[in-house]
Amino acid sequence: MGKFPKDFLWGASTSAYQIEGAINQGGKVPSIMDKFDEQASYPKGITGFKIASDHYNHWKEDVALMAEMGFKSYRFSISWPRIIKNVQGDINEEGIKFYDDLIDELLKNKIEPVVTIFHFDTPDFIQEVGGACTNEFTNLFEHYSEVLFKKFGKKVKYWLTINELNMFALAGQVIGVVPSDKKVNPWQLMHHLNVAQAKSIRKFREICPNGKIGPAPNISSVYSNTNKPEDYTAKLNMDIVRNWVYLDIVCRGEYSSFFMNGLKKMGLEIETTKEELEILKNSKPDFIAFNYYATMTAQMPEKQKAENVKKDQQSGLTIPGFGEAVKNDKLQKTQFGWEIDPVGFRNTLREVYDRYNLPIMITENGIGAKDVLEKNAEIHDDYRIDYYQKHIQQMGLAIEDGVEMIGYMPWSAIDLVSTHEGISKRYGFVYVNRDEFDLKDMKRIKKDSFYWYKDVIKTNGEKI
Ligand code: BGP
C-alpha cells in the first residue's frame, strides 16, 4: 500500500501496574492498585496486580523480545509510587534508576520510548489526602511530572500526560481509580485532572522545549442507534461526554457551552477558579494520542432502566441525562463482550483529525482473549491477527483520507493483567506462562501474532 510514513512508530504498549509486579521491590511505596483485588468490589476468582508479569525482574528479556519483533517504539508508563516517596515529594533514586536503565536499553535497541506519566496507579499517600478529587492533586502531579522531565527529558522525546483521563470520570470505580465507597462528582474529578494535565504541560514547555507531549484519552465514534432525531441528540450528547470534553479542554483550552449547560441541567456543576481557567487556556499539546477499542452506539433513554448491564471502559457507558449506550447488532464481539469495529477506527481517526488538526498517535488498540497454550508450546491467536489486520488496514485508509499519523502502539506488547478481568484476558504478542493464581514459570512464549506483527513492521505495513 505504501501508506505508512517511513519513520512510522510501530510498537506496542503496556502500563506499569499491569505488567511490573514487584510491588515491594526497589523502594516502591504502596499504590491504590496494590490492594485493588482485596476490595469487596473486585470480581472474584481473578488475580490482582501484586505479581502481574513480573516485568520488573524480566525487563531486559522483555525488551529483547520487542527488539526481535522490530519495534520502533514502546509505550510504557512510569509508576508514580516508584518515583515519589511521600507528600513532601521526596524522590526514590532506585525507582529513577529502574526507568533510566529501561530507557537506555530501549535506545540501545533503537526503540523510541513513549512515556505515559500516569496510568491509573495513584500512590496511597495521595489517595489518603483525597486523591484526584482535590486541588492539591494538581500540585502533586505537577511536581511528579517535573521530576520526570528533569531526569528523563533529554532521552525521551514523546510524552503522554494521563492515560484515559476520561475513564476516571466515566468508569472510575470499575477500573479502581475512584474508591468504590466514595460518592464523587465525576466532572469535578475530571476538572482536577484537566488542571493537573495543564500544569504538567506548562512545566514541560519550560524544561523540555524540544520534546513533544500529548493527552491519551480513550476515544471512539458514537453512532445514533436509529434515525429518530432524539437518538441523534443522544449521539451528540455522548460525543461530548465520551470524547470531546477531554480533548476540547486541552486542544482548545475551554469547556464547550453544551457541556457546561448539560452539567447545569443535571445539578452537577463544577467549581473552577479564574487561575485554573487561565492555566487551561495555555496548555496546547503537540499531538493527540488516543486509545481505540470500539465504537459506541447511543440512544435517548426513555426512562431510567435498572438493567444489569456490564459496565466498563467500552460497554454500558450510560450517562444519565446525556444518553444511553446500547448494543450495536451490526458488530461482532470479543470473548469479553467488547464490540469489534475496524471501520469505526478509520472514522474515529478522521473525526479527531478533522476536529483538532493535530498529528495522531494510537496508544492502545487490541483484543482481549483467552489464548490457549498448546502442548507444543505454541499459541495460535489467529483471531488477534485478524483483528489487527483489519484495524491496520483501516488506519491505512484513514492516512489515505488525509489523517496525519505518527505511530501505532497497540495493547499490549506482552501479556499483562487486565484492569478488572485478570490475566486470562490476554492481549500480548508474547504469552506469559502463568494463570490467575498459579504462577508457573512466568516463561515468555511467542504467539503466532508475534511473527505476524514482526513482518508487518519489517515491511512497514506494505502487505496489509
Ligand atoms: C484501557 C486501559 C488499559 C487496558 C485496556 C484494556 O482502558 O488504558 O490499562 O487494560 O483498556 O482493558 P481491560 O484491561 O479492562 O481489558
Side-chain angles (χ1 to χ4, degrees), residues 15 17-18 75 119-120 163-164 167 175 218 291 293 313 338 364 411 416-421 425 427:
S15 90
Y17 83 98
Q18 292 174 277
R75 178 235 184 183
H119 192 127
F120 299 164
N163 179 67
E164 297 197 351
M167 289 307 149
I175 57 176
N218 177 318
N291 302 344
Y293 287 91
Q313 310 98 298
W338 288 12
E364 287 182 34
W411 189 262
L416 39 67
V417 179
S418 138
T419 57
H420 61 292
E421 294 184 291
K425 188 181 189 186
Y427 283 92

Side-chain angles (χ1 to χ4, degrees), residues 9-27:
L9 295 178
W10 296 101
S13 275
T14 62
S15 90
Y17 83 98
Q18 292 174 277
I19 192 177
E20 285 177 6
I23 58 168
N24 297 317
Q25 269 181 267

